[in-house]
Amino acid sequence: MNNEKVADVYGIDFHASYSVNLFKKFRRLLREAGIEKIVESGNLVAIKVHFGEEGNTGFISPLFASAVVSYVKELGGNPFLTDTNTLYKGQRTNAVDHHLLAERHGFATINTGAPVIIADGLRGHDHVKVEVNGKYYKEVKIASAIYEADAMIVLSHFKGHEVFGFGGALKNLGMGCSIRESKLSMHSTVAPYVKEKKCTGCGICVTACPVEAITLVNKVAVINSEKCIGCADCIAACPENAVKINWNADQAVIQEKLIEHVAGVMSNKKGKILFVNFIKNVSPLCDCVNHSDIPIVNDIGILASQDPVAIDQASVDLVNAAPWREDTYFPPEKRGKDKFRSLHPEIEWDIQLRYAEEFGVGTRKYRLKPLFKARFPVLEK
């Protein structure tokens, strides 16, 4: 008898009609995947989204966030939209700018019906320490508002990614729910450095550093790596973008560190998280970049599951089974069957899935359950 765990992954395609529009299908998808068991009356429900970087157009439409908000409210939940501040210098480095960008991209309360709460606070420090006892971390630091929520709906735009090969539910959880210090720890094994030609010697980073690890030498900031605690405050504070990240973490290490943070996010929410992947506008790069290129495949559909590993594996399989779009920027001679290794040949994207299964986050084995007779590439092979 085969007792191997198999996770259910439900899916709809983007076909719509006069009788059944896409939002009716989306509601059914959420119901079949178990939202009514996950959200209880009185629950504070975090709806984890990515508001998109300035100039990016690939992020999930706020119309879908609004649909989730409405459903959660019907179930008696109290929803809020959330994300965390970025490690790099940009429009989402602090909660004020992050909130304003979310509003510009259509995620204002008047549009979605729920407030935006930046989960790690004003400057990316607010966190709860969670024990995971992993290979790299005994404990991880998870953004406070996400950890303290009673339930969570994770809306992820599935696409290529320049560091992880692909970005889906796991990336949205592990990186997207961690504080800035944790993001730096995952990406780098050494302290940030100062690009001398860009430094004006203003001293703002010196003031921002909580452990006095930065000094001015000949009007140039110098970081003492032995005193640096990796909080990344200097990166966020520098007005000249002169403080840089050492992107030196081994690809296997960064993917496995990601998964240990995923475990931390999920630790207090057993049976209280629903994952939704939008396989739409499958761009080559993350929504953190300031543009969205032509998708690599045509829009496929929306998946939902209570298992983050299974939903990401199913999403990878569906994209890889679909034909390349002819008008994508990627040259025809480099278009292999594995879309993500074709885009980022130096990255073994399945490390995150293997380690997630090993670490007990979920299973790669899934049962795809199409709704409304959805037509998916995998099923047509």
Side-chain angles (χ1 to χ4, degrees):
M1 184 175 179
N2 188 353
N3 292 319
E4 285 188 319
K5 181 182 177 183
V6 179
D8 289 332
V9 177
Y10 299 85
I12 58 173
D13 60 22
F14 289 108
H15 176 71
S17 66
Y18 286 107
S19 58
V20 183
N21 66 33
L22 185 56
F23 291 101
K24 287 183 179 179
K25 293 174 70 172
F26 184 54
R27 182 185 174 88
R28 166 87 181 278
L29 175 70
L30 297 174
R31 185 175 73 249
E32 293 291 339
I35 191 173
E36 295 182 0
K37 294 180 180 178
I38 289 168
V39 177
E40 299 175 80
S41 181
N43 279 177
L44 290 172
V45 183
I47 301 176
K48 174 64 178 71
V49 295
H50 188 307
F51 299 118
E53 193 54 78
E54 191 78 67
N56 191 287
T57 57
F59 56 88
I60 296 168
S61 168
L63 292 173
F64 288 104
S66 177
V68 177
V69 166
S70 295
Y71 205 160
V72 169
K73 285 183 175 180
E74 286 179 31
L75 299 173
N78 194 359
F80 62 96
L81 305 181
T82 192
D83 198 4
T84 58
N85 293 307
T86 58
L87 171 60
Y88 59 85
K89 189 78 172 178
Q91 296 298 312
R92 297 179 297 127
T93 307
N94 62 71
V96 176
D97 291 336
H98 201 158
H99 199 289
L100 290 172
L101 179 65
E103 290 193 346
R104 287 200 300 276
H105 283 180
F107 293 94
T109 305
I110 194 170
N111 296 331
T112 66
V116 170
I117 298 175
I118 304 305
D120 55 344
L122 185 64
R123 298 185 183 274
H125 296 304
D126 296 357
H127 70 273
V128 174
K129 292 181 180 179
V130 181
E131 188 174 293
V132 293
N133 292 317
K135 187 192 301 186
Y136 305 97
Y137 303 100
K138 180 180 179 182
E139 60 184 19
V140 294
K141 297 177 180 179
I142 304 304
S144 297
I146 286 172
Y147 183 84
E148 293 171 2
D150 301 304
M152 183 157 64
I153 314 296
V154 183
L155 306 182
S156 305
H157 172 215
F158 195 81
K159 68 280 179 188
H161 196 278
E162 54 275 26
V163 177
F164 296 94
F166 72 83
L170 293 170
K171 163 70 167 49
N172 202 5
L173 273 183
M175 196 66 68
C177 297
S178 299
I179 65 171
R180 182 177 292 117
E181 177 184 338
S182 299
K183 290 178 171 74
L184 180 61
S185 173
M186 282 184 266
H187 282 104
S188 177
T189 57
V190 295
Y193 70 96
V194 177
K195 197 166 185 177
E196 294 185 11
K197 290 182 178 179
K198 298 193 74 171
C199 180
T200 62
C202 67
I204 292 176
C205 61
V206 177
T207 303
C209 181
V211 294
E212 299 181 347
I214 308 176
T215 55
L216 289 179
V217 178
N218 297 324
K219 297 184 178 180
V220 174
V222 176
I223 300 174
N224 184 330
S225 60
E226 292 184 1
K227 294 179 70 175
C228 176
I229 60 172
C231 68
D233 280 5
C234 54
I235 297 171
C238 179
E240 306 299 331
N241 198 23
V243 186
K244 300 295 185 180
I245 304 162
N246 276 296
W247 300 100
N248 68 335
D250 176 86
Q251 62 164 303
V253 172
I254 188 173
Q255 291 189 51
E256 291 177 349
K257 284 182 173 182
L258 177 87
I259 296 308
E260 293 185 11
H261 281 80
V262 169
V265 177
M266 297 179 65
S267 63
N268 69 334
K269 291 183 173 58
K270 186 176 181 180
K272 299 292 286 183
I273 310 182
L274 180 64
F275 304 95
V276 184
N277 278 8
F278 289 74
I279 315 177
K280 176 181 174 62
N281 297 322
V282 185
S283 51
L285 303 175
C286 181
D287 292 343
C288 292
V289 300
N290 65 356
H291 65 280
S292 298
D293 211 323
I294 293 174
I296 60 173
V297 295
N298 289 327
D299 294 345
I300 293 173
I302 308 173
L303 304 184
S305 177
Q306 294 184 42
D307 189 308
V309 185
I311 196 172
D312 274 359
Q313 182 68 68
S315 300
V316 167
D317 292 344
L318 286 167
V319 172
N320 280 338
W324 286 86
R325 274 184 55 156
E326 288 301 319
D327 58 349
T328 188
Y329 88 103
F330 204 65
E333 65 273 14
K334 294 185 179 180
R335 299 177 188 175
K337 183 177 180 181
D338 187 328
K339 309 286 191 308
F340 304 104
R341 281 203 173 90
S342 297
L343 291 170
H344 308 290
E346 72 285 359
I347 298 173
E348 294 182 44
W349 52 259
D350 56 341
I351 292 171
Q352 59 185 296
L353 296 169
R354 292 202 307 266
Y355 191 63
E357 193 170 48
E358 176 187 324
F359 205 64
V361 168
T363 178
R364 298 178 71 176
K365 300 175 182 66
Y366 63 89
R367 183 184 300 107
L368 186 59
K369 294 188 171 183
L371 305 177
F372 298 97
K373 299 180 180 179
R375 291 167 289 182
F376 292 131
V378 167
L379 301 179
E380 293 175 354
K381 289 195 300 183

